[in-house]
Amino acid sequence: MNVLVEAVGSPMWGTLFPLLKQTFNATVGLDINTYSHGLYALDKGYLVPKYSSPDAVDAILDIATRERIDVFMPSLHEGLLMWSELSRELAQKGITVLISPPDTVRHFHDKWDTYRFFTDNKIPTPPTSLTPEYDLLKPRVGRGGAGIRPMEVGESFDPDIFISQKFLQGQEYSIDALCDLDGIILCVVVRKRLAVESGLSVTGIVVDDKEIESMARTLLGSAHFRGPVNMQCFRTDAGMFFTEVNPRLAGGMSLSMNATENWFMLIRKMLEGKKLVPMDVQHDLVMMRHYQDVFVDKRDLKC
């Protein structure tokens, strides 16, 4: 079974590549940057256009065909909805796109739609508005904390682009989950984010928080999820508040995989039609991320 993954320059892949390579016969990575370490760490690496380019989809599909890809795991926010909508068509060509159904992905593509999903399903979430009502400004579409900042006094904004949200003061948590193809939850891992750089968790610990886990399971049961899912929440003096859902691989999932099992192996088994059972979680496991250099001869750079 051959796998295709993207954004392979992301720091999250450093500890995930060994698990990926243990699982699949051939590993192929995509990125837009020549100097992305993952282009040289996998069996094959390809430069591709940004999703804003009209050539992006055709370029990726051409690579998938050429490399006889069986499963594609998209992880960039910009492409999730598109790949979800194309998943049935690609399945007929023998390519499984591991992603949640379009209706689910749409809920979490836009942060205003996410807020409405939370309120409709009684998931605690901070007050949010399409007017300058609250003290935190967020882009409606985006990832990794990009563009989030405090509102300035008297500031206005375009509600088609931004929302305002109540600023939360408290401890931030990430919750990772893996669901099978039918949406059955295989595991939920709650991890406290102890240090964050550029929106990615670099130090964290798995915690046994039954309240957060229970609410995460309620959230997961409110839509049909498939594959890896990441949720964000805060615990404050006023209670617990969920802020975001990412139906994809996330930056700190290496901690969740090391606290359970190799999720890529489980994904392969589910695609092969094998029955899976819920997993136990090792609490109190700590992750400390560090840099590791990759060296490539200039003549071998992807161009």
Side-chain angles (χ1 to χ4, degrees), residues 168-188:
L168 298 176
Q169 186 75 40
Q171 175 63 54
E172 186 176 9
Y173 293 83
S174 280
I175 307 98
D176 296 325
L178 181 65
C179 298
D180 71 10
L181 301 180
D182 296 319
I184 295 172
I185 302 168
L186 298 174
C187 72
V188 175

Side-chain angles (χ1 to χ4, degrees), residues 78-131:
E78 295 88 335
L80 294 182
L81 182 57
M82 175 192 64
W83 290 118
S84 182
E85 292 172 340
L86 287 172
S87 60
R88 284 191 177 183
E89 177 184 337
L90 294 181
Q92 295 174 354
K93 299 179 180 180
I95 301 172
T96 297
V97 181
L98 189 68
I99 194 167
S100 296
D103 287 347
T104 299
V105 177
R106 286 189 196 99
H107 287 310
F108 308 110
H109 180 73
D110 180 311
K111 288 181 174 59
W112 178 247
D113 291 336
T114 301
Y115 168 73
R116 292 194 299 174
F117 176 88
F118 286 154
T119 55
D120 288 346
N121 291 282
K122 297 181 172 54
I123 307 296
T125 192
T128 302
S129 176
L130 293 175
T131 65

Side-chain angles (χ1 to χ4, degrees), residues 26-82:
T27 56
V28 182
L30 309 174
D31 208 280
I32 63 171
N33 187 344
T34 294
Y35 301 102
S36 294
H37 67 99
L39 294 177
Y40 312 98
L42 299 177
D43 296 319
K44 292 282 187 69
Y46 288 93
L47 284 175
V48 291
K50 294 181 178 180
Y51 276 122
S52 57
S53 167
D55 300 325
V57 175
D58 286 343
I60 294 172
L61 291 178
D62 179 65
I63 292 165
T65 300
R66 190 185 328 158
E67 297 297 338
R68 299 181 179 179
I69 295 301
D70 300 292
V71 56
F72 174 35
M73 289 188 277
S75 58
L76 274 176
H77 182 86
E78 295 88 335
L80 294 182
L81 182 57
M82 175 192 64

Side-chain angles (χ1 to χ4, degrees), residues 135-146:
D135 46 4
L136 193 66
L137 183 73
K138 284 187 172 184
R140 288 181 58 162
V141 177
R143 58 186 168 92

